[in-house]
């Protein structure tokens, strides 16, 4: 009972500090629009990282990031994350080394002010619209061609099942085959406890971690084989204590 009350009070604190810190960093983040695309995106992610480090400190969620050495200089990748909570979304992209964009639902871009920030960091898609999905695939290809990383949640949505990972969609793996880019899987832990999927408006201070795994080259694999290979690697790492 006490824990549930605290979790909702802390969620309110989390929301207030999220909004306040966003208002502070927002004008600095928008300077990225005055820069050349790749440099602007690198700058945007750097500002986002400062914001997230500050916010995570304020909500008591210490983050440890490992495996960044798997990103080779002057190479860009398709980065895949597991997805358990809303907390994964602001957490993931800022801690990817270098400029990146995330595939994301277009509905969030409609929010005033925040929508401008959201659009800068994402390739937008309406998953219910075939034309939108096709267009988003083309945009992701363009992002990769311009030398920055593309971040994707292959489960599609938050994992509401009792399984460690949901079944992966094909999109990220078709993108890897079409672009020739390697995949770097990333395992996020702690967000499921900090923000449980079955509890609304709830947050508790929890240690968090992100671990980037070694790149996976799909040149000799078809889409299904590549998907299964990455799934098994992520599953093994996620379930490993």
């Amino acid at each position: 009972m006490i824990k549930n009350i605290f979790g909702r009070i802390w969620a309110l604190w989390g929301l207030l500090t999220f909004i306040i810190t966003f208002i502070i960093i927002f004008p600095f983040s928008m300077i990225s629009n005055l820069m050349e695309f790749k440099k602007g995106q690198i700058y945007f992610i750097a500002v986002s990282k400062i914001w997230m480090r500050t916010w995570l400190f304020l909500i008591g969620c210490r983050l440890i990031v490992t495996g960044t050495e798997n990103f080779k200089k002057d190479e860009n990748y398709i980065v895949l994350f597991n997805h358990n909570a809303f907390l994964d979304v602001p957490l993931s992209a800022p801690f990817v080394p270098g400029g990146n964009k995330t595939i994301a639902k277009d509905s969030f871009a409609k929010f005033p002010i925040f929508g401008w920030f959201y659009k800068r960091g994402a390739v937008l898609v309406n998953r219910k619209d075939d034309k939108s999905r096709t267009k988003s695939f083309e945009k992701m290809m363009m992002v990769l061609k311009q030398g920055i990383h593309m971040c994707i949640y292959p489960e599609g949505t938050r994992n509401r099942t009792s399984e460690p990972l949901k079944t992966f969609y094909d999109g990220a793996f078709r993108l890897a085959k079409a672009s020739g880019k390697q995949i770097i899987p990333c395992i996020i832990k702690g967000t499921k406890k900090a923000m449980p999927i079955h509890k609304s408006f709830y947050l508790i201070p929890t240690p968090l971690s992100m671990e980037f795994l070694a790149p996976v080259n799909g040149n000799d694999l078809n889409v299904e084989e590549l998907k299964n290979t990455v799934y098994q690697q992520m599953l093994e790492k996620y379930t490993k204590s």
Side-chain angles (χ1 to χ4, degrees):
M1 182 69 172
I2 294 175
K3 187 176 180 181
N4 284 334
I5 293 172
F6 172 78
R8 283 164 175 81
I9 293 172
W10 201 250
L12 178 60
W13 168 250
L15 178 60
L16 289 173
T17 52
F18 185 91
I19 293 171
I20 292 168
T21 52
F22 171 72
I23 291 170
I24 293 171
I25 66 93
F26 176 72
F28 296 99
S29 70
M30 290 297 99
I31 294 173
S32 62
N33 290 313
L34 304 176
M35 302 176 182
E36 175 270 329
F37 178 75
K38 185 175 180 180
K39 288 182 179 178
Q41 206 63 27
I42 291 171
Y43 170 84
F44 177 83
I45 292 299
V47 173
S48 300
K49 185 175 181 180
I50 293 171
W51 174 31
M52 280 299 104
R53 279 291 185 195
T54 303
W55 184 62
L56 290 172
F57 172 78
L58 291 172
I59 63 172
C61 292
R62 183 172 63 93
L63 174 67
I64 296 176
V65 180
T66 57
T68 54
E69 69 277 3
N70 288 312
F71 289 81
K72 294 182 180 179
K73 187 178 179 181
D74 299 324
E75 293 284 344
N76 63 316
Y77 301 88
I78 298 168
V79 187
L80 304 188
F81 302 92
N82 59 305
H83 194 11
N84 286 316
F86 279 129
L87 190 56
D88 298 324
V89 178
L91 180 69
S92 53
F95 297 97
V96 172
N100 64 81
K101 282 207 169 208
T102 304
I103 184 74
K105 292 191 294 185
D106 61 355
S107 55
F108 287 107
K110 298 175 183 178
F111 287 93
I113 302 178
F114 181 75
W116 298 343
F117 182 92
Y118 187 79
K119 281 190 271 189
R120 177 69 208 197
V123 170
L124 303 179
V125 62
N126 179 348
R127 294 192 182 96
K128 297 179 181 179
D129 187 308
D130 290 341
K131 289 183 179 179
S132 177
R133 290 201 303 270
T134 299
K135 192 172 182 180
S136 68
F137 190 90
E138 294 170 354
K139 288 181 178 178
M140 288 191 289
M141 286 289 290
M142 288 176 62
V143 165
L144 292 168
K145 286 178 181 178
Q146 292 179 81
I148 67 172
H149 311 300
M150 193 65 231
C151 299
I152 300 174
Y153 296 99
E155 294 167 286
T157 58
R158 289 173 294 158
N159 184 3
R160 296 177 178 274
T161 74
S162 59
E163 299 299 319
L165 296 176
K166 286 174 58 181
T167 301
F168 286 176
Y169 286 96
D170 290 346
F173 309 97
R174 290 193 295 107
L175 183 65
K177 294 298 293 182
S179 65
K181 296 296 180 180
Q182 292 182 310
I183 290 172
I184 289 188
C186 180
I187 300 299
I188 300 176
K189 287 188 176 182
T191 57
K192 190 173 187 176
K193 181 179 179 182
M195 194 176 281
I197 194 76
H198 60 282
K199 292 186 178 182
S200 60
F201 203 70
Y202 184 92
L203 174 68
I204 56 172
T206 306
L208 309 175
S209 68
M210 291 174 61
E211 183 177 0
F212 295 102
L213 310 185
V216 179
N217 190 326
N219 287 347
D220 298 326
L221 304 173
N222 62 35
V223 169
E224 193 66 22
E225 290 169 339
L226 180 57
K227 181 174 69 172
N228 290 337
T229 296
V230 174
Y231 183 91
Q232 290 302 320
Q233 288 187 4
M234 292 181 71
L235 179 63
E236 181 180 352
K237 181 60 67 171
Y238 184 80
T239 55
K240 186 177 180 182
S241 56

